[in-house]
Amino acid sequence: MAKKVLIVYAHESPASFNAAAKDAAVAALTAQGCTVEVSDLYAMKFKAAATTEDITGGVKDAENFCYAKEIKLASEEGRLADDIKKEQEKLKEADLVIFQFPMYWSSVPAIMKGWMD
């Protein structure tokens, strides 16, 4: 069984089925001896939009801004925003990742999509 579990959770209502499923997973995994961390995207007010705010120290080519190129360079240089760094660290440490979210239009909620990107 996995020792470190990360649950990435995206639902606004603590009374939802998704909240109950998340809580049940936390209880069951903890009872099995796992360390469980929950990234509650709505509670964190996680910013889903990909913008220059994801990069510290400014972008290299503001006139011809290309998010993919700039974020790659920022990652290589250690200039990602703190919220992104924290989530990446959680992923690196996790043995198991669970995504808990409602289906919106046959896909994940926008906040979850932004986290994945």
Side-chain angles (χ1 to χ4, degrees):
M1 182 46 128
K3 295 289 182 200
K4 289 191 118 185
V5 180
L6 172 63
I7 299 176
V8 185
Y9 170 69
H11 200 286
E12 290 183 280
S13 174
S16 68
F17 171 80
N18 281 275
K22 181 245 321 158
D23 293 343
V26 170
L29 291 163
T30 301
Q32 293 177 33
C34 295
T35 302
V36 182
E37 183 166 12
V38 177
S39 284
D40 183 337
L41 302 183
Y42 284 100
M44 294 164 52
K45 298 189 184 333
F46 187 82
K47 186 180 63 62
T51 68
T52 58
E53 293 175 11
D54 295 340
I55 301 164
T56 61
V59 297
K60 299 294 181 184
D61 188 358
E63 189 173 316
N64 298 302
F65 179 72
C66 174
Y67 185 83
K69 289 179 184 176
E70 293 284 354
I71 203 74
K72 180 180 183 296
L73 183 59
S75 178
E76 291 168 351
E77 295 176 354
R79 297 184 302 107
L80 295 176
D82 285 342
D83 62 336
I84 294 173
K85 286 182 192 176
K86 286 177 187 173
E87 293 305 297
Q88 288 180 337
E89 199 56 39
K90 291 176 191 177
L91 273 173
K92 288 177 190 174
E93 293 175 0
D95 297 307
L96 172 67
V97 179
I98 298 171
F99 295 96
Q100 182 63 53
F101 58 89
M103 291 295 286
Y104 291 159
W105 300 100
S106 301
S107 188
V108 299
I111 198 167
M112 178 73 78
K113 174 70 167 84
W115 186 94
M116 290 175 172
D117 289 347

